[in-house]
Amino acid sequence: MKGLAMLKIGEIGWIEKDKPKCGPRDAIVKPLALAPCTSDVHTVWEGAIGDRHDMILGHEALGVVDEVGNEVKDFKPGDRVIVPAITPDWDSEAVQRGFPSQSGGALGGWKFSNFKDGVFGEYFHVNLADNNLAHLPEGMSLESAVMITDMMTTGFMAAENAEIGMGATVAVLGIGPVGLCGVAGAALRGAGRIFAVGTRPKAIEVAKEYGATDIISYKDGDTAEQILEATDGAGVDAVIVSGGGPDILIDALKMAKAGSKIANNNYYGKGVGEKDTIPLCRVNWGFGMADKDIVTGLCPGGRVRMERLADIISYGRMDPSLMATHVYKGFDKLEEALLLMKDKPRDLIKPVVLL
Ligand code: NDP
Ligand code: ZN
């Protein structure tokens, strides 16, 4: 079978591989809709998780079940499914501690295009099908449903990790597709004022649609200063970090009130200096004592999470298809879609490839 792969750091290409084999509790799935992610860009062009050779990329997919193992109960060939980007080992120790995405070690729930072939192949393998697949609701648009697999679950995770309360003031740093879902998640949790930070016009339009009340450009001067000024020096109750470089937490700490949460979505593809560090500001962090908590997370996967996010779409609370700015038809268009994600033209939020 054919797949779009990372050949080595900085290089992608089409390769041929054997069709994956199905274990007793697993499934083999054929893609129905695929989306490239900024994380694929960090993986290939920044070597963020180290070198990989001939690894099929991609972790955002809807599919049609091709084959299931003999212990799978709820799925059969021909079923249309939502495939989470994160597919934990549900019987692991990390799950019992409440951290499924970290099953098998840090980031261990992230298998596709990390330590096994991803979804950008003609077929791909899903571990624990009953726990890691969800049925695609009839009539749901593919452009919407594919956003559940990573963008919605990640952006909403930050809104949850930031513990946004009714009427809270929130800043969302970065309004690519992840940050836009952070905006939507903050609004759904009852935020009052929501600052959205970014410059791409289409993203600004969607941010407003999702509930942003104020748009801030990081290009118009210090972001934190602009937000402090707009809040008469008070700052914000919660910060969602979904963009910016390795020093973005300096901004976040400066605008965060004492007693606030900073929920990080960012995948730091590179750090600063020889020691590859992520800088914090000692003073704005209250010398380490101001109850400004930085919370991190890898996007939640699994069946129940996918089903719940699908309900958010089905019952009309959010329309994630607004983020699908570039829709391609055909498996061969994947490479173009991934390169678009790398180049990030001004009119892009997210490319989607329909098969
Ligand atoms: P995008 O590149 O599409 O969006 C980045 C956003 O950050 C843009 O709005 C950009 O503005 C904005 N930005 C750039 N510089 C700054 C700055 N200095 N201050 C504030 N905002 C800035 O990224 P995605 O939305 O696709 O992904 C966001 C991050 O989430 C990535 O690091 C990605 O790898 C990570 N991620 C993490 C996951 C997890 O499980 N934790 C899962 C999926 C993704 P502009 O409008 O000017 O472009
Ligand atoms: Zn991703």
Side-chain angles (χ1 to χ4, degrees):
M1 65 165 208
K2 199 165 105 167
L4 181 62
M6 170 171 178
L7 305 180
K8 59 180 182 182
I9 291 175
E11 221 176 287
I12 60 167
W14 292 97
I15 60 169
E16 280 293 330
K17 277 204 170 174
D18 291 340
K19 184 179 171 187
K21 293 202 167 32
C22 192
R25 299 167 72 189
D26 304 341
I28 303 300
V29 176
K30 269 172 84 72
L32 189 59
L34 296 167
C37 178
T38 303
S39 300
D40 292 309
V41 174
H42 291 304
T43 299
V44 176
W45 286 281
E46 290 178 13
I49 51 172
D51 211 353
R52 298 286 189 275
H53 294 276
D54 297 343
M55 176 186 72
I56 295 179
L57 288 163
H59 50 258
E60 298 181 19
L62 308 174
V64 179
V65 175
D66 180 67
E67 190 184 335
V68 291
N70 57 15
E71 291 176 31
V72 174
K73 297 186 187 86
D74 292 342
F75 296 89
K76 57 182 188 319
D79 285 353
R80 286 154 56 100
V81 288
I82 303 171
V83 187
I86 303 301
T87 53
D89 300 315
W90 289 97
D91 48 6
S92 66
E93 177 263 359
V95 171
Q96 296 201 26
R97 286 190 291 115
F99 297 94
S101 294
Q102 316 298 345
S103 69
L107 313 188
W110 175 23
K111 299 178 191 307
F112 292 129
S113 68
N114 181 3
F115 54 82
K116 84 173 193 188
D117 280 327
V119 299
F120 290 175
E122 287 175 302
Y123 298 90
F124 57 86
H125 167 270
V126 181
N127 59 302
L128 299 179
D130 282 327
N131 306 106
N132 283 323
L133 291 176
H135 289 285
L136 177 65
E138 208 146 310
M140 185 175 288
S141 90
L142 301 183
E143 290 90 332
S144 278
V146 76
M147 300 294 177
I148 297 173
T149 62
D150 188 356
M151 300 299 95
M152 278 178 76
T153 185
T154 302
F156 282 25
M157 169 189 74
E160 292 165 305
N161 283 348
E163 295 178 11
I164 293 166
M166 288 286 172
T169 299
V170 180
V172 182
L173 309 186
I175 47 169
V178 174
L180 286 170
C181 291
V183 171
L188 284 168
R189 285 184 63 102
R193 193 172 187 184
I194 303 177
F195 291 93
V197 181
T199 69
R200 281 183 261 160
K202 181 67 189 164
I204 289 172
E205 189 187 312
V206 177
K208 289 180 181 161
E209 185 71 29
Y210 288 169
T213 54
D214 300 68
I215 304 295
I216 301 282
S217 166
Y218 60 91
K219 293 181 179 166
D220 286 350
D222 186 306
T223 305
E225 289 292 344
Q226 294 184 66
I227 290 177
L228 285 167
E229 197 183 317
T231 55
D232 296 326
V236 298
D237 300 299
V239 185
I240 292 177
V241 181
S242 303
D247 55 0
I248 191 71
L249 292 174
I250 292 178
D251 287 354
L253 285 168
K254 191 170 171 184
M255 70 183 75
K257 286 182 190 172
S260 61
K261 300 264 190 250
I262 297 169
N264 180 74
N265 280 143
N266 267 7
Y267 174 32
Y268 294 95
K270 52 177 183 264
V272 175
E274 266 179 36
K275 288 194 175 162
D276 201 17
T277 50
I278 304 294
L280 308 177
C281 171
R282 182 179 63 84
V283 177
N284 287 331
W285 200 24
F287 315 97
M289 299 181 292
D291 284 307
K292 296 189 185 186
D293 294 345
I294 300 172
V295 195
T296 71
L298 174 64
C299 74
R303 179 175 182 171
V304 171
R305 178 76 169 179
M306 298 299 106
E307 289 172 348
R308 287 188 172 191
L309 296 179
D311 277 355
I312 286 179
I313 301 173
S314 296
Y315 294 98
R317 306 211 180 274
M318 181 195 179
D319 177 5
S321 72
L322 300 181
M323 298 188 289
T325 50
H326 295 66
V327 180
Y328 295 90
K329 292 246 158 67
F331 192 57
D332 293 345
K333 294 287 183 184
L334 255 183
E335 186 171 2
E336 196 179 330
L338 177 57
L339 292 173
L340 192 79
M341 204 61 184
K342 173 172 176 273
D343 296 340
K344 299 256 159 86
R346 301 283 299 160
D347 60 347
L348 176 78
I349 298 180
K350 186 90 174 170
V352 172
V353 180
L354 305 179
L355 287 97

